[in-house]
Amino acid sequence: MCDDDHGNGMARRALFVTGAAAALTLGSVSFASGAGAAGGPDPAGVPDGGTTTRTVRGTLPAGSPDFVYLPVEVPRGVREFRVAYTYDRPPVPAGTQGNALDIGVFDERGTELGGRGFRGWSGGARTEFFLRGDDATPGYLPGPVRPGTWHIALGPYTVAPRGLAYEITVTLTYGEQAATPRPVYPPERAKGRGRAWYRGDCHLHSWYSDGRRTPAEIAALAREAGLDFINSSDHNTHAAHPHWADQAGDDLLILLGEEITTRNGHVLALGTDAGTFVDWRYRARDNRFGRFARRIREAGGLVVPAHPHATCIGCGWKFGFGEADAVEVWNGPYTPDDEIALADWDNTLVSAVRGGGHRWLPAMGNSDAHRDPDRIGTPQTVVLADDLTREAVQAGLRAGRSYVAESHLVSLTFTASGARGEHAGIGERLRVAPDTPVTVRVEAAGAPRCTVRLVTDEGLLFTSDPLPVSGSGTVEWRTTAAYAAYVRAELRHETAAGPLPGALAAFTNPIFLGEAR
């Protein structure tokens, strides 16, 4: 049950199931008494520019569903839809979840999963939002306010034991609809250098979700970080897409996407068609992720699970990797979470080369930068692409022709060669006989006092002496395909203390040795 207070009267209203156990609908908010029924005549007695307001109060109990919808009956003649909300944050004992309530909105086209009604989402980043024809709060989509049943989407992320008391105020402004500007998107090509190594950061947040930086600020910091490309990845909204066009240039390719932020993990839609929205309202138990992974690929994007071992609530990845094109192994400054993700990813490589029945999954690294002091480009993925275009960069990432570095100061070359001149680079296969001698070579720069480590399906098999303070050096190691089905390289900082290795400065995707098993 939920207590709803509409205006001065108190009405006790039941929660109505909308078809799935994870979503419920409250009783509707009507503006009919002051402004005419939805679809009826223009509101009487409300002057152009006038407003009407309704307030709803209630309490969501502990154990509430993932999404609660508040229907709002919008009459004709409305030019702006505005919502403000608050909720209580009671003290809770240590180790107990407090209250956190996300918010968004769907228009008269409805709340169908993957449907056309989505008009914006700000999660817990904002306490109010508005939409009208010519403008909207960042995270929301400008456009006409049409009559019908709109739905305010509440997402009780966590609920304290005593419940979550909320207050929602809806204000409608009347008048002629403003024209909606035609969106302009960034080009899918930058100048580039032909086939070359290009540096990118594909996990970034702007003020169009819970970030604090504008697209202009992000683009400037990306250039300072030595990046060639970035990917827009705001949480559960594509509202930022038209706002990147004037930040792209010959020196910076801007890809468009989204971070689909479910309650069972986050996934990057990397480089989708402009204006693509991907829904997030499902859990692993619903068996719906495959549908939306296909939606990403149909829109020309890559499916990249993000920070799969992050410990924040709802961040751990529970959908499996069967639909993934790559996986974000390193997220932001290097932490034990990343060390676990690296080890887990390496286990998938072992399974792939030993007949585990699945293809190998390339690794990526991104900053997940939101605000100062988050450093864009720490880390960054360095990809061998035929040119600086959306298609070429995605092809390189999908093929695993890439390595991850902590900054633009770190670079490496990683190759394997056979006795007869056979040669392979990162993400490639060196096709040699099992007993053919193979020389693995790492050339590093920008990594002072780092050690080079070579990891195979048999584990860590080689650790070099520290590189000189100049940060540059070359390491060679000899093996055979019978001894190592793949080899990948790591650059590690000196160990500060304890049994764990030093933090990564860089790591590569593997080179595979011999014929596929």
Side-chain angles (χ1 to χ4, degrees), residues 222-250:
R223 289 179 166 98
E224 288 179 15
L227 301 181
D228 301 296
F229 64 93
I230 59 175
N231 179 68
S232 170
S233 56
D234 282 307
H235 294 284
N236 298 340
T237 181
H238 60 297
H241 287 191
H243 301 277
W244 287 103
D246 56 356
Q247 305 308 320
D250 286 348

Side-chain angles (χ1 to χ4, degrees), residues 152-447:
I152 296 170
L154 302 177
Y157 192 63
T158 57
V159 178
R162 78 179 198 189
L164 186 156
Y166 62 85
E167 178 180 290
I168 302 171
T169 299
V170 183
T171 300
L172 304 184
T173 301
Y174 300 86
E176 185 178 351
Q177 298 275 357
T180 303
R182 182 178 180 180
V184 178
Y185 301 110
E188 297 186 4
R189 173 183 295 273
K191 188 174 182 179
R193 305 181 299 276
R195 186 173 176 84
W197 292 93
Y198 295 100
R199 295 175 177 265
D201 188 345
C202 294
H203 190 166
L204 297 165
H205 296 280
S206 76
W207 70 353
Y208 286 88
S209 61
D210 63 341
R212 293 293 179 268
R213 292 166 173 154
T214 65
E217 291 168 332
I218 291 172
L221 290 170
R223 289 179 166 98
E224 288 179 15
L227 301 181
D228 301 296
F229 64 93
I230 59 175
N231 179 68
S232 170
S233 56
D234 282 307
H235 294 284
N236 298 340
T237 181
H238 60 297
H241 287 191
H243 301 277
W244 287 103
D246 56 356
Q247 305 308 320
D250 286 348
D251 63 334
L252 185 65
L253 173 69
I254 298 180
L255 306 176
L256 302 177
E258 179 186 335
E259 183 175 10
I260 298 96
T261 308
T262 81
R263 298 300 179 89
N264 283 164
H266 303 182
V267 59
L268 302 176
L270 196 164
T272 54
D273 295 338
T276 297
F277 166 66
V278 183
D279 214 322
W280 76 99
R281 295 171 294 156
Y282 43 86
R283 287 180 179 257
R285 67 190 178 206
D286 300 322
N287 293 319
R288 289 169 172 163
F289 176 65
R291 168 186 168 188
F292 292 98
R294 289 189 294 274
R295 165 72 172 144
I296 294 169
R297 280 193 284 271
E298 287 167 359
L302 301 183
V303 178
V304 184
H307 47 63
H309 290 276
T311 57
C312 47
I313 296 172
C315 294
W317 184 249
K318 297 183 182 299
F319 294 93
F321 296 97
E323 295 284 355
D325 295 302
V327 59
E328 184 186 76
V329 168
W330 184 353
N331 174 275
Y334 200 73
T335 66
D337 294 350
D338 301 304
E339 190 70 36
I340 293 170
L342 181 69
D344 192 45
W345 170 68
D346 188 72
N347 288 340
T348 69
L349 297 179
V350 173
S351 177
V353 299
R354 293 183 180 170
H358 60 86
R359 60 183 175 81
W360 77 280
L361 194 63
M364 293 186 64
N366 302 298
S367 72
D368 199 1
H370 285 69
R371 60 187 68 83
D372 292 339
D374 298 352
R375 294 178 59 184
I376 290 173
T378 300
Q380 54 194 248
T381 299
V382 191
V383 58
L384 179 61
D386 289 336
D387 208 344
L388 188 52
T389 67
R390 170 190 172 193
E391 182 179 2
V393 167
Q394 289 176 318
L397 294 173
R398 189 185 295 109
R401 298 193 304 266
S402 60
Y403 65 91
V404 180
E406 65 181 358
S407 78
H408 71 281
L409 299 176
V410 179
S411 62
L412 58 82
T413 301
F414 180 48
T415 60
S417 56
R420 298 182 178 180
E422 306 95 333
H423 180 88
I426 300 171
E428 297 177 340
R429 178 174 294 278
L430 182 69
R431 299 186 182 279
V432 292
D435 58 351
T436 296
V438 172
T439 300
V440 176
R441 180 181 176 91
V442 180
E443 299 176 39

Side-chain angles (χ1 to χ4, degrees), residues 3 31 33 53 73 87 105 116 118 186 188 202 247 264 269 290 297 304 382 392 436 451 454 461 500:
D3 291 329
F31 284 79
S33 62
T53 298
E73 302 300 334
Y87 60 92
V105 70
R116 300 178 60 194
F118 177 78
E188 297 186 4
C202 294
Q247 305 308 320
N264 283 164
R297 280 193 284 271
V304 184
V382 191
T436 296
T451 57
L454 298 177
L461 294 185
L500 292 177

